[in-house]
Amino acid sequence: MLIAMLGEAWRAMGANRLRSLLTMLGMVIGVGAVVLMMAVGQGAQYAVKQSISAMGSNLFIVSASLSTTSGGVRRAGAAKITVADAEAMMELPGVEVVGQSLHPAPVQVIHGQANWTASIVGAVPEYLDARSWDVVSGSRFTESDVKAATRVALIGQNVGRKLFGDEDPVGKVVRIKQQPFVVLGVLAPKGQSLDGRDQDDSIIVPLVTAQRKLFGQTGGGINMIMVKAESLEAMPSVEQEMRALLRQRHRIREGMENDFSIRDLTATANTAAETAKVMSMLLGSIASVSLLVGGIGIMNIMLVSVTERTREIGIRMALGAREGAILAQFLLEAIIMSVIGCVIGLLLGLVGAELFRRFGNTTVVVSGGSALVAFGVALSVGVFFGYYPARKAALLDPIEALRYQ
Amino acid sequence: MSVIRVSDVVKDYPIAGGYYRALQGVSLEIAQGEYVAIMGHSGSGKSTFMNLLGCLDRYTQGRYWLNSCEVGSLSRNELAQLRNRTLGFVFQGFNLLSRMNLADNIGLPLVYAGVSKAERRRRAQALLDRVGLGAYAESHPNQISGGQQQRVAIARALINQPRVLLADEPTGNLDSQTSEEILAIFRQLNADGITIVLVTHEADVAAHALRQVGFRDGRIVRDEPTAEAGRRSPPC
Ligand SMILES: Nc1ncnc2c1ncn2[C@@H]1O[C@H](COP(=O)(O)OP(=O)(O)OP(=O)(O)O)[C@@H](O)[C@H]1O
Ligand SMILES: [Mg+2]
């Protein structure tokens, strides 16, 4: 029975080949768009997740505000975070200053004839753990390097390549601000940070070395301090304490605005993840609209088909077709059209995603799940939009249908 | 025992501003194996009556037993089953499906009876042979003549071995020579035991039947055996 019906549905579609193809095209475009958009959206989410896990957890970034509001005592640009601020923060309970950097003014690093501009990060050994940043060759510096303010450095991938080429940098000496630093190790590649800087252009030196020997000489102003809280739960209280401390140290009176900002990186990351998710949902829903349009196309054609074939339906009823048989006949036709359209759309969507990945330089994630979802949705679209016309056919009055001209 | 028993059946058609009463109380009994010709002027209600007999339409009042089963109380699907198993239809316009070949057209009622494809094919071929079109199984309706199409339609009506064959002006679109061929098939079928009810305008077609029923204005005005009946079963 089912095979006979499949054959018949196939023949019915073959009788109007161009029309069936055009109807399927709607489905093809809809499913293709959904697959492609889901791949792009999931790719964006994946990329954000990657950069979040690369960043480390429980981190704050404390930095000077770019400008303070007018009417205040201080003028824009005058605000500064100092080495002394960083040292004071280290005393707070539950707080660990793990790194700080002078980022707007990267410094020149020299080795022999080669030189490169790098941003300096002063850090404690735990900084690498906090950022889950590995040393790929050589070793880290230790707590005693920090205490003794020794001149040692961990250099980023780019720095190593530009200064040393194929040479092994470990154990060599580089000059930073005319001071010799021994390269202890090379950092693993890290790529761009959330604010778009290339982190492979970094050099990490012990925190105290940076404070006393590099940044101290520039008047103690540093661009940002990276602070790690003991735990996720401690973050709100740590933030409050830091704010209170900095307000006090900067002598900010009651009611005045802060001249610094404290960013919770976890929150920032969550926002980024949320944004990516919303974007991917948006893409998905835009694509779903085209799927919907494809479905309406099927419904439209099926309604035309039912009207055209009213007499045929009457004949079938006269020969003993039950409601269910007529319903199944037309429903099957709609489903076949949407499934074929779906399969073609799926393939086109996958091809499109691959093209995006190769030539659009975007992360795309094609999961079996999304293909399955698209397939399921297309099937339901076929059933949903095919049902009304099929039911209309099944409920025809036999004699009315037979008399139809 | 009667296959068909109709009692005081009334059929109203809704028309603009009320109803048109096409059948005004019709009673008729047809026994197994009868061959009945229904005659009457155009608009006298013959087709309306046939559609009720064929369970294609519902009546407004009265009662109708088919095989001692009351049709009025049956559901749409039960009526479909009756049309499929008990009744065979032959229409004036043949009503074959142009997309299918003749064998598939003939086998169509079997699809709805759940018969396998091989069996459908076998039975369709047997019937094609019986109506003299054995070589045309793969042809399509638009490739054969009207008379041949009507023979295919008869084969289709017979495929489920119905007890009753209903034919509304089956020769209306055919020339007299072809009509004779169709009527010869009917006579043979009736001889094999199938009950036949046919509608016709033409007296010489009606003369093939064994009983004539005359309609006028939605009522039966005449009901008598034909000369043919006398010839087939002589008194004493
Ligand atoms: N669907 C309908 N709606 C309204 N009136 C109808 C309908 N079908 C038939 N009638 C009316 O019912 C009456 C009987 O029609 P019917 O078709 O039964 O006549 P008939 O005897 O078969 O005529 P003919 O010999 O021309 O085929 C006619 O007056 C017709 O106008
Ligand atoms: Mg008529």
Side-chain angles (χ1 to χ4, degrees), chain A residues 403, chain B residues 13-15 20 22 40-49 169 201:
Chain A
R403 280 201 199 110
Chain B
Y13 284 118
I15 51 166
Y20 177 78
H41 296 295
S42 188
S44 56
K46 307 183 295 294
S47 294
T48 302
F49 186 61
E169 304 195 40
H201 276 120

Side-chain angles (χ1 to χ4, degrees), chain A residues 207-250:
Chain A
L207 184 62
V208 181
T209 314
Q211 288 169 349
R212 304 232 175 106
K213 304 201 161 138
L214 293 173
F215 302 157
Q217 288 158 10
T218 67
I222 51 182
N223 175 254
M224 61 164 227
I225 305 173
M226 188 173 274
V227 173
K228 184 174 166 66
E230 273 172 356
S231 64
L232 190 66
E233 292 72 42
M235 288 190 85
S237 67
V238 164
E239 188 176 348
Q240 259 179 0
E241 284 168 23
M242 287 194 300
R243 181 165 290 127
L245 179 78
L246 285 179
R247 281 182 76 92
Q248 185 204 335
R249 288 183 59 85
H250 291 190

Side-chain angles (χ1 to χ4, degrees), chain A residues 86-214:
Chain A
E87 279 170 351
M89 278 201 284
M90 273 194 273
E91 306 301 319
L92 290 174
V95 173
E96 193 180 356
V97 171
V98 289
Q100 56 191 36
S101 72
L102 184 71
H103 145 244
V107 294
Q108 221 175 31
V109 190
I110 304 169
H111 168 72
Q113 301 297 329
N115 71 79
W116 188 247
T117 332
S119 39
I120 307 294
V121 177
V124 296
E126 291 79 12
Y127 176 75
L128 295 174
D129 301 324
R131 305 279 327 269
S132 21
W133 205 350
D134 287 335
V135 172
V136 285
S137 74
S139 60
R140 307 167 155 209
F141 51 76
T142 60
E143 197 57 42
S144 59
D145 287 315
V146 177
K147 286 215 179 88
T150 53
R151 290 199 181 89
V152 292
L154 299 173
I155 60 175
Q157 283 280 317
N158 281 349
V159 180
R161 198 162 346 106
K162 296 293 177 182
L163 292 185
F164 295 93
D166 294 334
E167 251 183 283
D168 181 13
V170 177
K172 304 274 160 48
V173 172
V174 294
R175 300 186 75 81
I176 305 170
K177 287 189 160 189
Q178 279 83 47
Q179 301 172 46
F181 279 75
V182 177
V183 176
L184 276 189
V186 180
L187 296 161
K190 194 78 168 165
Q192 290 203 332
S193 63
L194 275 183
D195 60 7
R197 257 179 326 119
D198 190 345
Q199 301 178 88
D200 294 335
D201 276 335
S202 308
I203 291 182
I204 302 178
V205 300
L207 184 62
V208 181
T209 314
Q211 288 169 349
R212 304 232 175 106
K213 304 201 161 138
L214 293 173

Side-chain angles (χ1 to χ4, degrees), chain A residues 56-79:
Chain A
S57 54
N58 306 346
L59 294 176
F60 288 106
I61 300 273
V62 182
S63 56
S65 295
L66 289 180
S67 65
T68 47
T69 42
S70 59
V73 186
R74 294 151 198 272
R75 251 182 287 133

Side-chain angles (χ1 to χ4, degrees), chain A residues 264-284:
Chain A
D264 176 344
L265 269 191
T266 318
T268 312
N270 286 345
T271 313
E274 202 58 39
T275 310
K277 201 164 149 194
V278 168
M279 186 187 82
S280 120
M281 271 165 62
L282 205 68
L283 287 177

